[in-house]
Amino acid sequence: MSERRVARVQLESPVPQLDRLFDYAVPHPLVADVAPGVRVKVPLRSAGRMMDAFVVEVVADDGTERPLSAVEAVVSPIPVLPERLYTLARRVADRAAGSVSDILRLAVPKRMVRAEKAWATAPAPEAPEVVPAARERAEATLAAYPGLATALDAGERLAVDAPPRPHPELPRGAWADLLAAAAVHTLARGRSAVLVVPDYRDQAQLLAALAELVAPEAVVRDDADQAGPARYAQYLRTLAPVPCIVVGRRSAVYAPAHDTGLVALWDDGDTLLAEPLAPGVHARDAALVRQELEHSALLFAGHTRTTDVQRLVDVGYVRDLPQARRPSPRVVLSATREGEQRQSRVPSSAFAAAREALSQGPVLVQVARPGYAPSLVCADCRRPARCQHCAGRRQSAQT
């Protein structure tokens, strides 16, 4: 008589009482299909109904001949919940005093049968290659931060101040080139990179920067803007045993990419990276837990540093990595000169300096008062005084 197999499953339910593994007997016809990571249907004895669940592990029966309910059916034979993702979800849920199913709901997209069939019949993806020219460009970008490439290889936790300037020729920020270079450097070493950004605008800039360095099949999108089948197909790509670069929003921090070597967050102070659904885990906190489990490099980048990251820097948990040369803005102090009209919003000298600086980057104009011209008004009704000839406002400087 063959030994009975037991499947330990995680129910897809946010109920706290069900936030643990349940044992179910594996019927003999399903032994070949029930494997760790697959979706199954199991009965709930107390409720008398079927529930979806993920198989976490399959073990041999302990020989106690305890009565166990049997797995009803295998929903899909594709293992969509790898062990590394379940371990991460369990650790994050415990840290936030939440349910692991709430984390898995964000990490694993809904099953799409057509996309799954297409994936099963498609040839296995090949490991992407980074051409020497792209690698040289990436290394040149990383060279602005001495020791950054070495720190990424060593799997360190880093905080960097991104270049506060746009791309000299293209409509995107220089920060996108920095994160893309870090991802390409990681991919060239045969490991995956996960890049997390707050919104679709940042994601578009990052995808544009990556398109200049690697082939499209090397980049995986992880966002809800895609149709259901497309998003599920992209998720199945991350499960393949070949490296890739994942780019997405806050839930992309859980992407189960193969052999992750880098997790990078852009602008962790943006409120969009804070998950509003229970248990409300911030992408920054999930990234810290993931780095601890996988020993990958962790990169926090932004134009400004949040107090959360600065605290980690102060206690020595995250290392501050400054640029070799910090760009300093030119400051022009200007006041209204004699002979210029008081109602001029920007003095001519300041305007000339701003126009010249626009060729090199953005310009900040700060004034002492709102940009309206002073005029005479009635002290009682506040009605402005008008010129009898042109009906224009009388300026206080002319009276």
Side-chain angles (χ1 to χ4, degrees), residues 298-318:
L298 178 59
L299 181 65
F300 294 110
H303 292 316
T304 58
R305 186 166 302 171
T306 61
T307 55
D308 303 85
V309 174
Q310 185 58 41
R311 175 185 173 275
L312 296 175
V313 172
D314 292 340
V315 300
Y317 193 73
V318 174

Side-chain angles (χ1 to χ4, degrees), residues 224-232:
D225 292 344
Q226 305 176 90
R231 186 182 183 187
Y232 188 63

Side-chain angles (χ1 to χ4, degrees), residues 10 12 23 25 60 115 140 143 155-156 200 213 232 234 242 254 278 309 326 336 374:
Q10 174 68 50
E12 292 189 64
D23 291 352
E156 294 189 35
Y200 71 95
L213 299 175
Y232 188 63
Q234 293 282 280
V242 292
Y254 303 105
V309 174
R326 292 182 179 272
T336 303

